[in-house]
């Protein structure tokens, strides 16, 4: 982040990469930042190739009160493959080296209330703009489809402020302070990390280090290991 003399945010940079893709859905990734999107001067370092987004000339998404910026709208474009499935999720398959990209956002006027990283990151699933997946408890954007809440295993309830969790509080997404060693294809995370379920069901009160490589925490045969 670049601040001016009064600690106003003038611009910021974010490095990002897609490390793996399971299945074949065309997914996008974005984040929502507090603040008027018309105050953004420019957005560079993104990849927009599909036809399900409507962006303003400055690179922010139309129809949003907050500043919504899509890093990409098709994850396959970001990992050196344009259509194959199971990228870096099946141990026997060829490994694809992830590419690192850099987002650059410049503001017209300094911002004092932009919040802090990771802001409100979210996925859009399979080119369906209304199908958003956020971190647990984070608010959907104005373009999320409210009819999806409470469907199937989701227990989101806008009336109570519960979003993007199952009935027993397991999250649909999470943010970690370390590089995540993710499960192999078709293995649920609860079968790769022995304390993930206890962590989620406790609301984070138990095993807040569930992702660490600690004795008894992992089932290594269910966790993807990239070549050294």
């Amino acid at each position: 982040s670049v601040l001016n003399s009064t600690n106003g945010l003038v611009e910021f940079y974010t490095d990002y990469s897609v490390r793996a893709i399971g299945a074949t859905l065309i997914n996008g990734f974005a984040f929502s930042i507090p603040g008027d999107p018309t105050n953004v001067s420019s957005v560079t370092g993104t990849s927009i190739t599909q036809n399900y987004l409507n962006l303003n000339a400055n690179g922010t998404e139309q129809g949003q009160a907050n500043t919504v910026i899509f890093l990409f709208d098709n994850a396959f474009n970001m990992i050196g493959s344009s259509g194959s499935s199971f990228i870096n999720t099946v141990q026997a398959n060829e490994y694809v080296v992830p590419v690192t990209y850099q987002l650059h956002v410049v503001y017209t006027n300094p911002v004092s209330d932009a919040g802090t990283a990771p802001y409100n990151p979210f996925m859009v699933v399979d080119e369906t703009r209304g199908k958003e997946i956020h971190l647990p408890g984070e608010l959907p954007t104005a373009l999320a489809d409210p009819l999806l809440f409470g469907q199937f295993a989701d227990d989101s309830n806008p009336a109570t402020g519960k979003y993007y969790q199952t009935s027993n509080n397991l999250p649909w997404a999470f943010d970690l302070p370390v590089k995540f060693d993710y499960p192999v294809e078709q293995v649920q995370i609860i079968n790769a990390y022995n304390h993930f379920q206890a962590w989620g069901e406790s609301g984070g009160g138990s095993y807040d280090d569930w992702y660490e490589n600690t004795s008894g925490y992992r089932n290594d045969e269910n966790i993807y290991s990239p070549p050294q």
Side-chain angles (χ1 to χ4, degrees):
S1 299
V2 179
L3 306 177
N4 67 4
S5 59
T6 58
N7 289 325
L9 182 63
V10 176
E11 59 182 326
F12 68 87
Y13 299 84
T14 297
D15 291 337
Y16 67 96
S17 65
V18 174
R19 295 172 55 207
I21 303 175
T24 59
L25 302 183
I26 294 177
N27 299 327
F29 184 81
F31 49 74
S32 177
I33 307 173
D36 182 359
T38 65
N39 187 39
V40 171
S41 174
S42 65
V43 175
T44 54
T46 63
S47 173
I48 308 298
T49 63
Q50 312 304 114
N51 297 310
Y52 65 90
L53 300 176
N54 295 306
L55 304 184
N56 296 305
N58 65 359
T60 62
E61 187 176 35
Q62 295 180 12
Q64 302 282 10
N66 288 319
T67 300
V68 174
I69 296 171
F70 272 81
L71 281 70
F72 54 85
D73 62 3
N74 183 350
F76 285 102
N77 293 336
M78 316 309 294
I79 198 170
S81 175
S82 59
S84 62
S85 57
F86 304 147
I87 302 173
N88 296 350
T89 63
V90 176
Q91 208 68 58
N93 289 359
E94 180 182 359
Y95 182 70
V96 178
V97 179
V99 178
T100 298
Y101 303 89
Q102 186 175 78
L103 173 75
H104 183 202
V105 177
V106 179
Y107 288 99
T108 302
N109 298 305
V111 177
S112 60
D113 58 350
T116 57
Y119 307 109
N120 181 357
F122 64 97
M123 289 176 57
V124 168
V125 180
D126 204 24
E127 301 184 275
T128 304
R129 179 57 192 86
K131 188 176 289 187
E132 298 183 359
I133 299 177
H134 292 250
L135 297 173
E138 292 288 353
L139 293 176
T141 80
L143 299 184
D145 182 357
L147 296 179
L148 296 175
F149 296 139
Q151 298 296 309
F152 303 102
D154 181 57
D155 195 45
S156 297
N157 185 348
T160 62
K162 182 178 183 179
Y163 288 103
Y164 303 105
Q165 293 172 278
T166 67
S167 59
N168 56 345
N169 298 323
L170 297 184
W172 296 118
F174 47 82
D175 175 50
L176 297 178
V178 298
K179 186 176 182 180
F180 183 48
D181 297 326
Y182 52 84
V184 297
E185 189 68 39
Q186 299 179 338
V187 169
Q188 294 188 56
I189 191 170
I190 60 174
N191 294 324
Y193 286 87
N194 296 324
H195 301 305
F196 177 83
Q197 186 165 355
W199 168 76
E201 292 180 350
S202 69
S206 300
Y207 294 104
D208 60 359
D209 61 346
W210 62 267
Y211 50 85
E212 296 285 2
N213 192 7
T214 301
S215 178
Y217 275 40
R218 301 183 175 191
N219 295 319
D220 289 335
E221 69 276 9
N222 288 336
I223 295 176
Y224 184 81
S225 179
Q228 300 299 317

mmCIF file of all heavy atoms in Angstrom, residues 73-112:
data_model
loop_
_atom_site.group_PDB
_atom_site.id
_atom_site.type_symbol
_atom_site.label_atom_id
_atom_site.label_comp_id
_atom_site.label_asym_id
_atom_site.label_seq_id
_atom_site.Cartn_x
_atom_site.Cartn_y
_atom_site.Cartn_z
ATOM 1 N N ASP A 73 -11.798 -13.580 -14.176
ATOM 2 C CA ASP A 73 -13.117 -14.181 -14.322
ATOM 3 C C ASP A 73 -13.060 -15.627 -14.801
ATOM 4 O O ASP A 73 -14.099 -16.265 -14.973
ATOM 5 C CB ASP A 73 -14.009 -13.341 -15.247
ATOM 6 C CG ASP A 73 -13.461 -13.220 -16.655
ATOM 7 O OD1 ASP A 73 -12.417 -13.822 -16.960
ATOM 8 O OD2 ASP A 73 -14.091 -12.486 -17.462
ATOM 9 N N ASN A 74 -11.851 -16.161 -15.016
ATOM 10 C CA ASN A 74 -11.684 -17.551 -15.424
ATOM 11 C C ASN A 74 -10.362 -18.055 -14.867
ATOM 12 O O ASN A 74 -9.288 -17.726 -15.384
ATOM 13 C CB ASN A 74 -11.706 -17.668 -16.948
ATOM 14 C CG ASN A 74 -11.596 -19.109 -17.433
ATOM 15 O OD1 ASN A 74 -11.322 -20.023 -16.662
ATOM 16 N ND2 ASN A 74 -11.800 -19.319 -18.718
ATOM 17 N N ALA A 75 -10.431 -18.841 -13.813
ATOM 18 C CA ALA A 75 -9.214 -19.291 -13.131
ATOM 19 C C ALA A 75 -8.304 -20.093 -14.046
ATOM 20 O O ALA A 75 -7.077 -20.077 -13.873
ATOM 21 C CB ALA A 75 -9.587 -20.122 -11.900
ATOM 22 N N PHE A 76 -8.869 -20.768 -15.045
ATOM 23 C CA PHE A 76 -8.038 -21.573 -15.945
ATOM 24 C C PHE A 76 -7.028 -20.710 -16.702
ATOM 25 O O PHE A 76 -5.930 -21.165 -17.020
ATOM 26 C CB PHE A 76 -8.914 -22.335 -16.938
ATOM 27 C CG PHE A 76 -9.624 -23.510 -16.339
ATOM 28 C CD1 PHE A 76 -10.974 -23.424 -16.014
ATOM 29 C CD2 PHE A 76 -8.961 -24.695 -16.078
ATOM 30 C CE1 PHE A 76 -11.642 -24.504 -15.461
ATOM 31 C CE2 PHE A 76 -9.618 -25.784 -15.518
ATOM 32 C CZ PHE A 76 -10.968 -25.685 -15.214
ATOM 33 N N ASN A 77 -7.389 -19.476 -16.981
ATOM 34 C CA ASN A 77 -6.475 -18.581 -17.692
ATOM 35 C C ASN A 77 -5.265 -18.188 -16.853
ATOM 36 O O ASN A 77 -4.266 -17.703 -17.389
ATOM 37 C CB ASN A 77 -7.197 -17.303 -18.122
ATOM 38 C CG ASN A 77 -8.252 -17.550 -19.173
ATOM 39 O OD1 ASN A 77 -8.182 -18.533 -19.906
ATOM 40 N ND2 ASN A 77 -9.234 -16.663 -19.245
ATOM 41 N N MET A 78 -5.347 -18.378 -15.549
ATOM 42 C CA MET A 78 -4.319 -17.887 -14.643
ATOM 43 C C MET A 78 -3.287 -18.944 -14.274
ATOM 44 O O MET A 78 -2.332 -18.663 -13.566
ATOM 45 C CB MET A 78 -4.965 -17.347 -13.355
ATOM 46 C CG MET A 78 -6.195 -16.478 -13.567
ATOM 47 S SD MET A 78 -5.928 -15.149 -14.766
ATOM 48 C CE MET A 78 -4.726 -14.164 -13.916
ATOM 49 N N ILE A 79 -3.474 -20.157 -14.745
ATOM 50 C CA ILE A 79 -2.587 -21.235 -14.324
ATOM 51 C C ILE A 79 -1.997 -21.971 -15.518
ATOM 52 O O ILE A 79 -1.528 -23.106 -15.411
ATOM 53 C CB ILE A 79 -3.330 -22.205 -13.372
ATOM 54 C CG1 ILE A 79 -2.355 -23.079 -12.575
ATOM 55 C CG2 ILE A 79 -4.401 -22.993 -14.107
ATOM 56 C CD1 ILE A 79 -2.987 -23.881 -11.472
ATOM 57 N N GLY A 80 -2.029 -21.338 -16.682
ATOM 58 C CA GLY A 80 -1.377 -21.921 -17.845
ATOM 59 C C GLY A 80 -2.148 -23.034 -18.501
ATOM 60 O O GLY A 80 -1.588 -23.859 -19.214
ATOM 61 N N SER A 81 -3.457 -23.090 -18.255
ATOM 62 C CA SER A 81 -4.292 -24.099 -18.893
ATOM 63 C C SER A 81 -5.641 -23.481 -19.201
ATOM 64 O O SER A 81 -6.139 -22.648 -18.447
ATOM 65 C CB SER A 81 -4.482 -25.311 -17.977
ATOM 66 O OG SER A 81 -5.381 -26.231 -18.546
ATOM 67 N N SER A 82 -6.234 -23.850 -20.321
ATOM 68 C CA SER A 82 -7.482 -23.208 -20.734
ATOM 69 C C SER A 82 -8.651 -24.168 -20.823
ATOM 70 O O SER A 82 -9.621 -23.886 -21.499
ATOM 71 C CB SER A 82 -7.284 -22.536 -22.096
ATOM 72 O OG SER A 82 -6.897 -23.500 -23.064
ATOM 73 N N GLY A 83 -8.592 -25.300 -20.167
ATOM 74 C CA GLY A 83 -9.745 -26.171 -20.259
ATOM 75 C C GLY A 83 -9.610 -27.519 -19.588
ATOM 76 O O GLY A 83 -10.607 -28.167 -19.304
ATOM 77 N N SER A 84 -8.405 -27.983 -19.341
ATOM 78 C CA SER A 84 -8.269 -29.279 -18.688
ATOM 79 C C SER A 84 -8.666 -29.177 -17.223
ATOM 80 O O SER A 84 -8.662 -28.104 -16.635
ATOM 81 C CB SER A 84 -6.829 -29.782 -18.811
ATOM 82 O OG SER A 84 -5.936 -28.901 -18.165
ATOM 83 N N SER A 85 -9.022 -30.305 -16.642
ATOM 84 C CA SER A 85 -9.459 -30.304 -15.245
ATOM 85 C C SER A 85 -8.438 -30.995 -14.358
ATOM 86 O O SER A 85 -7.471 -31.588 -14.838
ATOM 87 C CB SER A 85 -10.814 -31.012 -15.127
ATOM 88 O OG SER A 85 -10.730 -32.326 -15.625
ATOM 89 N N PHE A 86 -8.657 -30.903 -13.058
ATOM 90 C CA PHE A 86 -7.795 -31.527 -12.063
ATOM 91 C C PHE A 86 -6.358 -31.026 -12.176
ATOM 92 O O PHE A 86 -5.409 -31.803 -12.273
ATOM 93 C CB PHE A 86 -7.842 -33.047 -12.164
ATOM 94 C CG PHE A 86 -9.225 -33.633 -12.055
ATOM 95 C CD1 PHE A 86 -9.562 -34.776 -12.757
ATOM 96 C CD2 PHE A 86 -10.180 -33.040 -11.250
ATOM 97 C CE1 PHE A 86 -10.829 -35.333 -12.654
ATOM 98 C CE2 PHE A 86 -11.457 -33.578 -11.142
ATOM 99 C CZ PHE A 86 -11.777 -34.729 -11.852
ATOM 100 N N ILE A 87 -6.172 -29.718 -12.172
ATOM 101 C CA ILE A 87 -4.836 -29.127 -12.276
ATOM 102 C C ILE A 87 -4.221 -29.034 -10.880
ATOM 103 O O ILE A 87 -4.745 -28.359 -10.004
ATOM 104 C CB ILE A 87 -4.902 -27.734 -12.932
ATOM 105 C CG1 ILE A 87 -5.526 -27.832 -14.319
ATOM 106 C CG2 ILE A 87 -3.515 -27.109 -13.010
ATOM 107 C CD1 ILE A 87 -5.783 -26.492 -14.968
ATOM 108 N N ASN A 88 -3.128 -29.740 -10.689
ATOM 109 C CA ASN A 88 -2.399 -29.751 -9.410
ATOM 110 C C ASN A 88 -3.258 -30.239 -8.251
ATOM 111 O O ASN A 88 -3.109 -29.787 -7.113
ATOM 112 C CB ASN A 88 -1.825 -28.362 -9.098
ATOM 113 C CG ASN A 88 -0.791 -27.920 -10.117
ATOM 114 O OD1 ASN A 88 -0.354 -28.706 -10.970
ATOM 115 N ND2 ASN A 88 -0.401 -26.656 -10.040
ATOM 116 N N THR A 89 -4.151 -31.181 -8.549
ATOM 117 C CA THR A 89 -4.953 -31.792 -7.481
ATOM 118 C C THR A 89 -4.882 -33.309 -7.491
ATOM 119 O O THR A 89 -5.364 -33.946 -6.558
ATOM 120 C CB THR A 89 -6.434 -31.374 -7.588
ATOM 121 O OG1 THR A 89 -6.976 -31.854 -8.830
ATOM 122 C CG2 THR A 89 -6.583 -29.860 -7.497
ATOM 123 N N VAL A 90 -4.315 -33.886 -8.553
ATOM 124 C CA VAL A 90 -4.122 -35.343 -8.647
ATOM 125 C C VAL A 90 -2.624 -35.607 -8.699
ATOM 126 O O VAL A 90 -1.936 -35.129 -9.605
ATOM 127 C CB VAL A 90 -4.815 -35.921 -9.891
ATOM 128 C CG1 VAL A 90 -4.517 -37.409 -10.025
ATOM 129 C CG2 VAL A 90 -6.318 -35.684 -9.816
ATOM 130 N N GLN A 91 -2.132 -36.373 -7.734
ATOM 131 C CA GLN A 91 -0.690 -36.533 -7.582
ATOM 132 C C GLN A 91 -0.023 -37.104 -8.830
ATOM 133 O O GLN A 91 1.102 -36.747 -9.172
ATOM 134 C CB GLN A 91 -0.406 -37.439 -6.385
ATOM 135 C CG GLN A 91 0.919 -37.168 -5.722
ATOM 136 C CD GLN A 91 0.987 -35.822 -5.022
ATOM 137 O OE1 GLN A 91 0.198 -35.524 -4.148
ATOM 138 N NE2 GLN A 91 1.940 -34.983 -5.417
ATOM 139 N N ALA A 92 -0.722 -37.985 -9.553
ATOM 140 C CA ALA A 92 -0.124 -38.654 -10.704
ATOM 141 C C ALA A 92 -0.100 -37.783 -11.961
ATOM 142 O O ALA A 92 0.618 -38.097 -12.917
ATOM 143 C CB ALA A 92 -0.867 -39.952 -10.992
ATOM 144 N N ASN A 93 -0.861 -36.701 -11.984
ATOM 145 C CA ASN A 93 -0.925 -35.854 -13.171
ATOM 146 C C ASN A 93 0.292 -34.931 -13.251
ATOM 147 O O ASN A 93 0.961 -34.666 -12.251
ATOM 148 C CB ASN A 93 -2.195 -35.006 -13.165
ATOM 149 C CG ASN A 93 -3.439 -35.839 -13.421
ATOM 150 O OD1 ASN A 93 -3.359 -37.042 -13.623
ATOM 151 N ND2 ASN A 93 -4.595 -35.191 -13.401
ATOM 152 N N GLU A 94 0.526 -34.420 -14.455
ATOM 153 C CA GLU A 94 1.634 -33.483 -14.650
ATOM 154 C C GLU A 94 1.411 -32.217 -13.827
ATOM 155 O O GLU A 94 0.295 -31.694 -13.751
ATOM 156 C CB GLU A 94 1.757 -33.117 -16.127
ATOM 157 C CG GLU A 94 2.883 -32.135 -16.427
ATOM 158 C CD GLU A 94 2.948 -31.743 -17.894
ATOM 159 O OE1 GLU A 94 2.111 -32.256 -18.670
ATOM 160 O OE2 GLU A 94 3.821 -30.938 -18.259
ATOM 161 N N TYR A 95 2.474 -31.716 -13.228
ATOM 162 C CA TYR A 95 2.391 -30.516 -12.403
ATOM 163 C C TYR A 95 2.492 -29.266 -13.260
ATOM 164 O O TYR A 95 3.351 -29.175 -14.147
ATOM 165 C CB TYR A 95 3.508 -30.515 -11.356
ATOM 166 C CG TYR A 95 3.487 -29.329 -10.427
ATOM 167 C CD1 TYR A 95 2.490 -29.187 -9.465
ATOM 168 C CD2 TYR A 95 4.471 -28.336 -10.501
ATOM 169 C CE1 TYR A 95 2.472 -28.104 -8.607
ATOM 170 C CE2 TYR A 95 4.455 -27.253 -9.635
ATOM 171 C CZ TYR A 95 3.453 -27.147 -8.694
ATOM 172 O OH TYR A 95 3.425 -26.063 -7.848
ATOM 173 N N VAL A 96 1.599 -28.312 -13.010
ATOM 174 C CA VAL A 96 1.619 -27.024 -13.702
ATOM 175 C C VAL A 96 2.163 -25.976 -12.732
ATOM 176 O O VAL A 96 1.611 -25.789 -11.641
ATOM 177 C CB VAL A 96 0.215 -26.615 -14.187
ATOM 178 C CG1 VAL A 96 0.252 -25.248 -14.862
ATOM 179 C CG2 VAL A 96 -0.350 -27.666 -15.129
ATOM 180 N N VAL A 97 3.241 -25.305 -13.109
ATOM 181 C CA VAL A 97 3.850 -24.307 -12.226
ATOM 182 C C VAL A 97 2.980 -23.050 -12.197
ATOM 183 O O VAL A 97 2.737 -22.439 -13.238
ATOM 184 C CB VAL A 97 5.273 -23.952 -12.701
ATOM 185 C CG1 VAL A 97 5.878 -22.886 -11.791
ATOM 186 C CG2 VAL A 97 6.155 -25.193 -12.726
ATOM 187 N N PRO A 98 2.490 -22.646 -11.021
ATOM 188 C CA PRO A 98 1.657 -21.446 -10.941
ATOM 189 C C PRO A 98 2.410 -20.181 -11.344
ATOM 190 O O PRO A 98 3.620 -20.067 -11.126
ATOM 191 C CB PRO A 98 1.258 -21.389 -9.456
ATOM 192 C CG PRO A 98 1.425 -22.791 -8.962
ATOM 193 C CD PRO A 98 2.594 -23.335 -9.723
ATOM 194 N N VAL A 99 1.674 -19.247 -11.925
ATOM 195 C CA VAL A 99 2.226 -17.956 -12.344
ATOM 196 C C VAL A 99 1.749 -16.890 -11.360
ATOM 197 O O VAL A 99 0.588 -16.887 -10.943
ATOM 198 C CB VAL A 99 1.774 -17.598 -13.773
ATOM 199 C CG1 VAL A 99 2.315 -16.232 -14.182
ATOM 200 C CG2 VAL A 99 2.218 -18.675 -14.755
ATOM 201 N N THR A 100 2.635 -15.985 -10.976
ATOM 202 C CA THR A 100 2.265 -14.893 -10.071
ATOM 203 C C THR A 100 1.974 -13.631 -10.872
ATOM 204 O O THR A 100 2.735 -13.248 -11.759
ATOM 205 C CB THR A 100 3.388 -14.611 -9.059
ATOM 206 O OG1 THR A 100 3.601 -15.783 -8.258
ATOM 207 C CG2 THR A 100 3.012 -13.443 -8.138
ATOM 208 N N TYR A 101 0.850 -13.006 -10.559
ATOM 209 C CA TYR A 101 0.425 -11.769 -11.208
ATOM 210 C C TYR A 101 0.377 -10.655 -10.161
ATOM 211 O O TYR A 101 0.406 -10.916 -8.959
ATOM 212 C CB TYR A 101 -0.954 -11.940 -11.848
ATOM 213 C CG TYR A 101 -1.022 -13.058 -12.853
ATOM 214 C CD1 TYR A 101 -1.335 -14.363 -12.447
ATOM 215 C CD2 TYR A 101 -0.765 -12.832 -14.203
ATOM 216 C CE1 TYR A 101 -1.390 -15.406 -13.359
ATOM 217 C CE2 TYR A 101 -0.826 -13.874 -15.127
ATOM 218 C CZ TYR A 101 -1.141 -15.150 -14.694
ATOM 219 O OH TYR A 101 -1.193 -16.167 -15.612
ATOM 220 N N GLN A 102 0.272 -9.419 -10.619
ATOM 221 C CA GLN A 102 0.209 -8.295 -9.676
ATOM 222 C C GLN A 102 -0.929 -7.350 -10.044
ATOM 223 O O GLN A 102 -0.978 -6.807 -11.156
ATOM 224 C CB GLN A 102 1.523 -7.510 -9.647
ATOM 225 C CG GLN A 102 1.531 -6.420 -8.566
ATOM 226 C CD GLN A 102 2.869 -5.710 -8.455
ATOM 227 O OE1 GLN A 102 3.180 -4.858 -9.274
ATOM 228 N NE2 GLN A 102 3.661 -6.075 -7.445
ATOM 229 N N LEU A 103 -1.824 -7.174 -9.102
ATOM 230 C CA LEU A 103 -2.902 -6.195 -9.227
ATOM 231 C C LEU A 103 -2.401 -4.835 -8.768
ATOM 232 O O LEU A 103 -1.678 -4.740 -7.779
ATOM 233 C CB LEU A 103 -4.095 -6.620 -8.365
ATOM 234 C CG LEU A 103 -5.241 -5.619 -8.252
ATOM 235 C CD1 LEU A 103 -6.060 -5.590 -9.541
ATOM 236 C CD2 LEU A 103 -6.131 -5.955 -7.055
ATOM 237 N N HIS A 104 -2.798 -3.778 -9.492
ATOM 238 C CA HIS A 104 -2.429 -2.418 -9.113
ATOM 239 C C HIS A 104 -3.680 -1.550 -9.183
ATOM 240 O O HIS A 104 -4.310 -1.444 -10.245
ATOM 241 C CB HIS A 104 -1.353 -1.871 -10.059
ATOM 242 C CG HIS A 104 -0.863 -0.505 -9.700
ATOM 243 N ND1 HIS A 104 -0.252 0.340 -10.604
ATOM 244 C CD2 HIS A 104 -0.887 0.184 -8.519
ATOM 245 C CE1 HIS A 104 0.069 1.477 -10.004
ATOM 246 N NE2 HIS A 104 -0.302 1.396 -8.741
ATOM 247 N N VAL A 105 -4.040 -0.953 -8.064
ATOM 248 C CA VAL A 105 -5.215 -0.086 -7.980
ATOM 249 C C VAL A 105 -4.768 1.305 -7.569
ATOM 250 O O VAL A 105 -4.060 1.475 -6.572
ATOM 251 C CB VAL A 105 -6.241 -0.630 -6.968
ATOM 252 C CG1 VAL A 105 -7.430 0.323 -6.839
ATOM 253 C CG2 VAL A 105 -6.720 -2.023 -7.387
ATOM 254 N N VAL A 106 -5.188 2.312 -8.348
ATOM 255 C CA VAL A 106 -4.843 3.709 -8.078
ATOM 256 C C VAL A 106 -6.127 4.487 -7.809
ATOM 257 O O VAL A 106 -7.105 4.350 -8.556
ATOM 258 C CB VAL A 106 -4.091 4.338 -9.272
ATOM 259 C CG1 VAL A 106 -3.752 5.791 -8.978
ATOM 260 C CG2 VAL A 106 -2.831 3.541 -9.589
ATOM 261 N N TYR A 107 -6.122 5.298 -6.734
ATOM 262 C CA TYR A 107 -7.283 6.115 -6.386
ATOM 263 C C TYR A 107 -7.126 7.535 -6.923
ATOM 264 O O TYR A 107 -6.008 8.055 -7.031
ATOM 265 C CB TYR A 107 -7.476 6.164 -4.871
ATOM 266 C CG TYR A 107 -7.973 4.861 -4.283
ATOM 267 C CD1 TYR A 107 -7.082 3.967 -3.678
ATOM 268 C CD2 TYR A 107 -9.315 4.524 -4.326
ATOM 269 C CE1 TYR A 107 -7.537 2.770 -3.138
ATOM 270 C CE2 TYR A 107 -9.772 3.337 -3.788
ATOM 271 C CZ TYR A 107 -8.882 2.463 -3.199
ATOM 272 O OH TYR A 107 -9.340 1.278 -2.676
ATOM 273 N N THR A 108 -8.257 8.171 -7.234
ATOM 274 C CA THR A 108 -8.249 9.568 -7.658
ATOM 275 C C THR A 108 -7.980 10.473 -6.460
ATOM 276 O O THR A 108 -7.103 11.344 -6.496
ATOM 277 C CB THR A 108 -9.590 9.945 -8.303
ATOM 278 O OG1 THR A 108 -9.831 9.080 -9.416
ATOM 279 C CG2 THR A 108 -9.569 11.385 -8.774
ATOM 280 N N ASN A 109 -8.727 10.249 -5.382
ATOM 281 C CA ASN A 109 -8.536 10.987 -4.139
ATOM 282 C C ASN A 109 -8.144 9.999 -3.034
ATOM 283 O O ASN A 109 -8.669 8.877 -2.996
ATOM 284 C CB ASN A 109 -9.825 11.716 -3.726
ATOM 285 C CG ASN A 109 -10.244 12.743 -4.761
ATOM 286 O OD1 ASN A 109 -9.477 13.622 -5.136
ATOM 287 N ND2 ASN A 109 -11.487 12.622 -5.245
ATOM 288 N N PRO A 110 -7.230 10.373 -2.139
ATOM 289 C CA PRO A 110 -6.802 9.462 -1.061
ATOM 290 C C PRO A 110 -7.993 8.953 -0.253
ATOM 291 O O PRO A 110 -8.962 9.671 -0.007
ATOM 292 C CB PRO A 110 -5.872 10.326 -0.206
ATOM 293 C CG PRO A 110 -5.384 11.382 -1.149
ATOM 294 C CD PRO A 110 -6.517 11.663 -2.082
ATOM 295 N N VAL A 111 -7.903 7.692 0.169
ATOM 296 C CA VAL A 111 -8.993 7.029 0.887
ATOM 297 C C VAL A 111 -8.543 6.759 2.322
ATOM 298 O O VAL A 111 -7.448 6.250 2.557
ATOM 299 C CB VAL A 111 -9.369 5.704 0.195
ATOM 300 C CG1 VAL A 111 -10.459 4.979 0.972
ATOM 301 C CG2 VAL A 111 -9.827 5.976 -1.236
ATOM 302 N N SER A 112 -9.408 7.094 3.267
ATOM 303 C CA SER A 112 -9.051 6.897 4.678
ATOM 304 C C SER A 112 -9.787 5.723 5.314
ATOM 305 O O SER A 112 -9.468 5.330 6.433
ATOM 306 C CB SER A 112 -9.358 8.163 5.474
ATOM 307 O OG SER A 112 -10.746 8.490 5.389
#
